[in-house]
Amino acid sequence: MHVKSSVPLLVRFLLTAALGEMIFMPQGMAKVDGRVLAVSPQAIGSTHHKLPSSRICDGVDFGSFSFSRVKGRNIHIDSDWKEQNTQFIWFFATKGESLREIDGKLYRTTQIRVNRKAFESGCQAFLRARNILAERPDLMRLVKTVSVFRESYSKGSPKLSSHAWGLAIDINAADYPYGIKVKNPHSPNAILWREVFSKAGFRWGNHFSNVGGASDPMHFDIPIKK
Ligand SMILES: [Zn+2]
């Protein structure tokens, strides 16, 4: 019969889904039962996380939001928080997907999601970095790829990544892997650090190894007061 033959398949499907949830979800957060397929990441568990004011955004409080752990370092951030606290902006990137005309010249750009209080209001770090690049085509050409928003914990740390807050930007990730220390001052990311991002209020992940962390030369972020 059609119904009988379809039952084992359905059972297998539910079991696979249930086991998948058990593997991916942190222990104790997922209750495996007939409803497991309907469980959304938000329903599994959430944490209230508050970030203190940034050192360069004096007086700017980045607030807090709820998120749930999804798998490994990944988290799921409350979508209302994302909507209210982040925005898409364009940024220079020679491997970007779109073209933008500035003063009659075309430049390749890409869209990044950043924290609103780090763009036009608050510390304006992303806006300052973009404005510096706009005046300097020689520096602009050094930025091949950019990536900002990522819903995750930090690598090698129990802390939430500043990428989850939209407060960090990875530049030329393929050329600057995590854990490698850049020593050549003429290296593109070293030049971008000196000429652009230090002036815009960011710190450079390449220096993290000086304070006991792992060097992260692709990474530039807005320093947060401890
Ligand atoms: Zn990064």
Side-chain angles (χ1 to χ4, degrees):
M1 290 291 289
H2 173 76
V3 173
K4 275 184 185 168
S5 63
S6 70
V7 169
L9 270 177
L10 178 65
V11 169
R12 267 209 300 275
F13 176 67
L14 284 172
L15 268 176
T16 307
L19 286 171
E21 291 287 330
M22 284 170 78
I23 291 161
F24 296 144
M25 299 304 157
Q27 206 176 5
M29 281 189 169
K31 284 215 168 101
V32 179
D33 58 30
R35 293 172 178 271
V36 74
L37 289 176
V39 174
S40 68
Q42 293 98 315
I44 288 161
S46 65
T47 309
H48 204 56
H49 187 101
K50 184 161 170 56
L51 194 70
S53 303
S54 157
R55 205 182 306 149
I56 65 155
C57 295
D58 276 343
V60 175
D61 187 344
F62 289 102
S64 60
F65 62 78
S66 293
F67 63 93
S68 50
R69 297 197 79 141
V70 178
K71 179 188 172 189
R73 289 195 295 123
N74 296 336
I75 59 169
H76 180 93
I77 295 173
D78 177 67
S79 51
D80 285 344
W81 184 91
K82 256 193 297 197
E83 196 58 40
Q84 286 159 19
N85 293 279
T86 65
Q87 67 182 110
F88 280 102
I89 67 164
W90 63 268
F91 205 84
F92 296 106
T94 60
K95 290 192 174 175
E97 65 281 351
S98 49
L99 289 169
R100 175 165 292 266
E101 190 183 323
I102 300 169
D103 296 333
K105 283 186 182 166
L106 286 175
Y107 297 95
R108 200 159 273 280
T109 63
T110 196
Q111 291 287 312
I112 50 177
R113 186 193 275 274
V114 303
N115 195 297
R116 288 183 192 278
K117 289 178 181 169
F119 184 57
E120 280 175 318
S121 66
C123 61
Q124 304 185 334
F126 285 101
L127 182 63
R128 280 193 272 166
R130 195 175 77 181
N131 285 345
I132 294 169
L133 288 170
E135 302 278 310
R136 294 280 304 272
D138 57 323
L139 299 174
M140 201 191 288
R141 281 194 287 274
L142 302 179
V143 181
K144 292 196 274 188
T145 62
V146 291
S147 152
V148 172
F149 197 67
R150 195 160 57 243
E151 303 188 31
S152 77
Y153 273 85
S154 297
K155 237 180 207 162
S157 155
K159 283 188 275 180
L160 206 60
S161 167
S162 46
H163 288 282
W165 289 91
L167 294 173
I169 183 167
D170 286 343
I171 297 175
N172 303 331
D175 300 334
Y176 294 94
Y178 177 80
I180 301 293
K181 178 96 174 175
V182 173
K183 291 179 177 155
N184 180 357
H186 306 296
S187 187
N189 273 24
I191 297 169
L192 288 169
W193 158 242
R194 275 197 314 277
E195 302 293 329
V196 182
F197 288 91
S198 63
K199 292 174 180 174
F202 289 80
R203 61 180 184 167
W204 187 21
N206 196 50
H207 298 145
F208 290 175
S209 54
N210 303 346
V211 290
S215 183
D216 193 2
M218 71 176 82
H219 181 96
F220 299 81
D221 69 21
I222 293 163
I224 302 303
K225 207 186 266 174
K226 297 266 187 244

